[in-house]
Every structure is written in C-alpha cells, then in structure tokens.
Amino acid sequence: MALADYATYRARLKAPWQRVSNAKTMGVTVTGRLMSQWALAAGAGAAPTTAVAPDRTTVGALGQYDSAGIMRILGARVSPNGSQGTIYICDRLSHQGGLSGTGAGAQTTNLPTAALTRSTSGVGVMLGLEIYTAVGTTSAVATASYTNQSGTSGQVSIATPFGNTNYREVGRMFILPLAGSDTGVQSVQSVTINPSTLTAGNFGVTLFRPLFPLPACLNQDTGYLYDLLNSGALLPLVDAGACLFGLSLHSGSNQTYIHDLLLGED
Amino acid sequence: MGSLNAAALDDVVNKITGGNNGNPETLWWFKDDRVGAGTPATAVLGRMISLWTQNGFPGSSGAAPGTTPRQCTSATQGAIPFTNPGGGRDKYLLGLSGASVAQGAFFLYDRLADVSGLDATNVGVQQFAGGASLTPPRYTSGRYVVPFLEIYNTVGSTTTMQISYTNDQGVSGRVSTPTRFGAAGQSEIQRMLPIGLAAGDFGVQSVQSCQLASSTGTVGDFGFTLARVLAIMPALTIGAATIRDLLTYLTSIVKIETSACLALAWTSTVTAGNAHAFGHLQTVEV
C-alpha cells in the first residue's frame, strides 16, 4: 500500500513510527574506498563463519522493529565527526567467512552462501568480499563463481584487485563486477584469489542490497537532516526482518558517525 | 502518454511509493577501477572519461562496438538496465546520486549509437563499415544529440579531426569544427571528447565519416558515440555522495526514453586516480 498523499508523508515524517539510532567509530579507513561498518563498535557484529542469512536480530544489525505492514525510510540524520563521507544503508542478506588470502584455487569453505530470505530473486543484490582480518601485501585478483538473478549457475565475476595497499585492510568491502549483463546474485559457490597475497587473514562473502545514501559533505557535528522526498524521491522499503547495516566512503580516517533513520509505515 | 503534474505533490508521493502504477525503480550502479583486466585511464583535470568500458555493477563493462555502427539500447552490455514503462506510461528520472574516490562530476547520458575501429594514422576520409551512417534510434530529430570522439586504444601525438554529418535540420554534408585529439590528456583509452558542430547546428541526425588533419603516429582505436546528456551529478567531496533531487531543484525531472542505454561519463577536478564510484538512479512511471 502506497502513501496516499503529501500530507500523509509529512505526518509520517513528523511522527515516525520508529527512530533507529546508531553511532559507529571508524578505525583506519581507505580514502574513497568502500568500508563496512558491520564489525565496528558500537553494536559490532561478529565476523561470520558458517554461511547464514542474517536478519534484524543478528548482532550487528541496526535492530529496527518489524512493521505489521509496509515500512520505509522517510528521513535521516547524519553527524560526522572527523571528515566527510557517505554512509550507505544496506540490507545484509547473506554472509559467511573463513576464506583465506593464501588459498589456492577455488575456495569453498563455508560456501555456498545461505539462501536469500529477502530479495530472493537476486535482482539488485550485490556481491561483496569483506575483510575481517587483513590479508597480505602481494597484489592479486579476486573472482567468484555465482548463480545470477536468473538462476544460471557457474557465472564468474570479473576479476577485481585484491591484496596489497588499499585492497587488504580490515573492514574493506569489495563489490565484485558481475559477468555479462547480470543484474544480481542469488548465491555464491566459490571464491578464487590469484595469486596468494601471502597472508591468510580472514575474509568472506557478503550479499547485500543498498537502500539509501546518507552523505555528510562537511565535517559538522551539528549534522545533516534528510527529508527523503526532497532528497531524490527515494523512499526505500525496509523488508520485514531486514538486517540493516552501513557501508561507508570516507575522505579520512578515525571518524565517528552518528546517524538516525526515521521509519514510517505506509 | 502520461503526464506528471509536478505541482501536485500528492500525485508524486503516491506514485513514488508504488501507488497508481508509479512502479518506482531504484537503479544502483558501481564502477570498479579496472577496464577488463587492466587499469583504467588516469583522470586528467577537466577531461571527460567514458565509464562505458569500466568494470562494474550491474553486469559487466561495455565493449568497443566495432567497425559497424551500432544502435544502443537498454539490452546493450554495459548499459544500466531498467524496466520499460508499461500501459502507455512514460518513465522519469526524479533523483540520482554519485560518489567517487576523487572530486569531479558524473554525466548520465543516453548512449544512442556508437562505432569504433577507426585508425588514428589514416589521414584519408574514413567511413564506417559498409558505408553505413551512425544514426540514433531515439531523439531521431537529432536535436541536442551530441557527437563524441571516444578512444578505445591509445592513439599517438596531437592532431585534429573533423566529422561529416547531417544536422538536426536534416542538412547533410555538414562539417564539424576541428576537434583536437592525441598527445597527453587526449590520447588515452576512455577519453571522451565532445565534437564542436558547425555554426547554427543544434545536434546531429547522423554521422557519415571523419578525417584527420595528420597522423597521430599510432593506429590505436577510436570511434564516435552519439549521446543525449540527461543529468549531471557533481561529486563535490571525496567519498561524500551528492544527491541530485530533480523534483525540487534545477534542472528538472528528466524523461528516460523506452529502451534507453543509460551510461556514465566522468570529469575529474584533479589529474590523478580514476573513477571508482558508487551511485543510484531513482525513477517513476507516470
């Protein structure tokens, strides 16, 4: 059921059904490169091991309550304390860990990924590799064998840089370019690192769907308020059970982000 | 054909939340800093880079089109795919965002037609395979259809180039102003150079041939792309996304033609790095 009109939208925004707040302190970040907030305090999630499909109750999720009906993000606020950047609010659909930066050949430890319980078609689902313990300093490339949005297995992602500076750090999230005209991922069967980065580290596959960008263009503790209707008309749906978490881009390190999400029901 | 009464926010709110066949669609895109197995072009201050061949999501990178002129659609590999509107409705772009590893500006455009395989050492008149013309399948009037020179394999030293085209009034045999290419900043893969048209022309209906003033010394591989620019997204700060709200800000909401081949280009404010970027497009049907 859609929002009926502007007055309804304003009413929902002024009295949101729930407000979800979170503060994350970034450690060392890589300028301009995607970092995951999953394992950061406060409310840090654990590095996954076996393949699971996380939900809103998983430690690390922002932890919103489910609605009896349709719920969406109507507004947001972000306060950076450090430098500029963007938080991308995403739904973490499936994850696993235990992959090695020194593994030879196709790695299948804790794979395939757990079946999607949201966005089950795979359309718009991005394939990420997330580093939990730094891998090595030898430049390599990473590929993954996956099943695409049409259920076609054996698709192989386009090789992306992995290992060495900017591509080895804890918290880095790599989005793997997909093959052909694929528009999403249903599952991942294996990951290949070639050559070895010479340090095992620990990394894993994260399947996720981005929902909304939350930019902070200046370092202002007073923060930025976003009325999502007037911020590009993107009022993203939040699926029942969504495991909301943040990916971020930064222009510096050791930033603290405080953000609120205002959620309303249709 | 539908219409959007932009003053009626009630209609907008209802449609963008899925009511009344609004069918809102959010198209997320990502560009990796690789072109195939290699590194992309290094950005040069103020020079446009085509992101067509850069690896990313969704799908893989686009490829050099080849010597036969090609009309591009949403099914062309490299395009940002979307769902065509149904029921006699039109699709509009209401908002977009982009963030990059550097400051600059993204250009969202409809990639109408392209061709490649031209020789940067050939100083004769170069036609396309079979004598075919490069023609757009959309915006067929040619109005505001902009021709670009696009480089797929590095060329050599400085020269100028002119195209022979039919303008937006249907007048054939028009010749563009000389476009400089070659040498540093204008010879590398992914460079996308706008071509100046003859006085009084507001676009092209077709392109027939080109000619270089002199050899660049390196064959390379270059071609032409016909484009209709849809929106510009400034990336004002490293890592901080810019959200363009076309509903309430300038310039205005933009119609996306059925089967449009949505693609991106990038201009950097620094001479360094490349476009490793993340963003989205927000659409609605009316």
Side-chain angles (χ1 to χ4, degrees):
Chain A
M1 186 176 77
L3 293 174
D5 50 33
Y6 183 65
T8 304
Y9 167 75
R10 291 298 300 173
R12 299 283 191 272
L13 185 60
K14 290 172 66 176
W17 183 64
Q18 64 180 302
R19 180 191 301 264
V20 179
S21 299
N22 195 254
K24 293 287 186 183
T25 300
M26 310 299 296
V28 175
T29 60
V30 179
T31 299
R33 305 285 173 173
L34 279 172
M35 307 294 296
S36 172
Q37 297 186 337
W38 178 253
L40 298 177
T49 52
T50 55
V52 297
D55 62 24
R56 66 176 187 86
T57 66
T58 304
V59 175
L62 296 185
Q64 78 289 349
Y65 292 107
D66 278 341
S67 164
I70 295 173
M71 185 167 65
R72 61 180 77 240
I73 304 174
L74 301 180
R77 178 182 73 92
V78 61
S79 295
N81 180 11
S83 59
Q84 301 93 319
T86 306
I87 300 174
Y88 293 92
I89 303 299
C90 304
D91 186 357
R92 194 175 181 97
L93 302 168
S94 183
H95 65 190
Q96 59 80 249
L99 299 179
S100 169
T102 60
Q107 299 186 51
T108 58
T109 303
N110 297 321
L111 287 170
T113 51
L116 301 177
T117 58
R118 303 178 298 280
S119 301
T120 54
S121 70
V123 173
V125 174
M126 293 186 168
L127 194 172
L129 296 184
E130 189 168 351
I131 297 182
Y132 301 105
T133 304
V135 298
T137 56
T138 296
S139 295
V141 293
T143 58
S145 176
Y146 65 94
T147 299
N148 70 9
Q149 77 287 344
S150 299
T152 303
S153 61
Q155 299 292 93
V156 180
S157 68
I158 307 301
T160 196
F162 191 84
N164 210 345
T165 303
N166 295 336
Y167 302 97
R168 63 179 294 268
E169 294 81 0
V170 173
R172 279 283 277 122
M173 176 73 87
F174 307 86
I175 299 175
L176 299 193
L178 303 183
S181 297
D182 288 350
T183 59
V185 175
Q186 290 183 358
S187 63
V188 175
Q189 282 67 51
S190 68
V191 175
T192 301
I193 305 298
N194 183 31
S196 167
T197 70
L198 300 185
T199 300
N202 178 18
F203 73 97
V205 174
T206 301
L207 300 182
F208 67 95
R209 188 170 65 86
L211 299 182
F212 185 74
L214 206 50
C217 296
L218 290 174
N219 176 19
Q220 289 187 359
D221 293 345
T222 53
Y224 292 84
L225 299 175
Y226 290 99
D227 164 4
L228 268 58
L229 173 63
N230 296 303
S231 302
L234 170 55
L235 302 177
L237 290 170
V238 178
D239 289 337
C243 180
L244 299 182
F245 82 112
L247 291 181
S248 51
L249 284 172
H250 309 270
S251 60
S253 294
N254 298 306
Q255 297 161 280
T256 299
Y257 285 106
I258 300 171
H259 61 81
D260 296 333
L261 300 180
L262 306 178
L263 303 175
E265 293 178 299
D266 280 6
Chain B
M1 179 184 299
S3 64
L4 178 64
N5 183 352
L9 277 179
D10 292 346
D11 187 35
V12 171
V13 169
N14 187 243
K15 283 188 164 69
I16 66 173
T17 54
N20 199 16
N21 294 309
N23 297 319
E25 192 172 21
T26 308
L27 309 169
W28 286 92
W29 58 266
F30 168 75
K31 284 296 180 181
D32 195 12
D33 46 357
R34 301 240 311 173
V35 173
T39 55
T42 297
V44 172
L45 191 156
R47 301 293 184 190
M48 188 176 287
I49 295 174
S50 169
L51 301 184
W52 180 249
T53 55
Q54 204 156 314
N55 300 344
F57 178 99
S60 186
S61 55
T67 57
T68 300
R70 173 179 71 173
Q71 294 185 329
C72 304
T73 71
S74 54
T76 303
Q77 182 172 314
I80 300 173
F82 63 92
T83 305
N84 279 331
R89 295 181 294 274
D90 295 320
K91 199 172 189 86
Y92 285 88
L93 180 69
L94 296 186
L96 62 166
S97 77
S100 177
V101 72
Q103 293 171 297
F106 293 99
F107 296 80
L108 174 70
Y109 67 97
D110 186 350
R111 190 177 178 98
L112 302 170
D114 55 14
V115 67
S116 66
L118 298 173
D119 180 350
T121 63
N122 183 347
V123 298
V125 173
Q126 295 191 60
Q127 293 183 318
F128 314 130
S133 296
L134 185 67
T135 59
R138 299 173 295 280
Y139 309 103
T140 53
S141 71
R143 189 84 166 177
Y144 305 128
V145 172
V146 181
F148 287 87
L149 183 155
E150 190 164 348
I151 299 176
Y152 297 95
N153 206 353
T154 304
V155 300
S157 54
T158 303
T159 185
T160 59
M161 181 281 311
Q162 291 175 280
I163 59 171
S164 175
Y165 64 95
T166 299
N167 70 8
D168 60 299
Q169 301 300 308
V171 178
S172 61
R174 304 290 283 169
V175 180
S176 67
T177 57
T179 297
R180 173 179 164 173
F181 87 115
Q186 293 175 296
S187 62
E188 301 85 354
I189 61 168
Q190 296 180 272
R191 291 284 177 251
M192 194 167 177
L193 310 175
I195 297 170
L197 302 180
D201 292 349
F202 288 87
V204 302
Q205 289 186 358
S206 61
V207 177
Q208 282 68 50
S209 64
C210 74
Q211 187 166 20
L212 276 60
S214 61
S215 169
T216 72
T218 302
V219 172
D221 181 351
F222 73 96
F224 299 103
T225 300
L226 299 184
R228 174 70 175 246
V229 178
L230 301 178
I232 299 174
M233 281 179 293
L236 300 174
T237 309
I238 296 172
T242 300
I243 300 177
R244 288 292 311 280
D245 176 14
L246 303 182
L247 193 60
T248 57
Y249 293 172
L250 299 173
T251 53
S252 180
I253 58 175
V254 176
K255 183 181 175 182
I256 297 177
E257 295 292 331
T258 297
S259 298
C261 180
L262 299 180
L264 295 162
W266 163 257
T267 299
S268 175
T269 61
V270 295
T271 297
N274 52 65
H276 174 93
F278 196 27
H280 86 284
L281 310 175
Q282 181 63 35
T283 69
V284 71
E285 292 181 22
V286 297

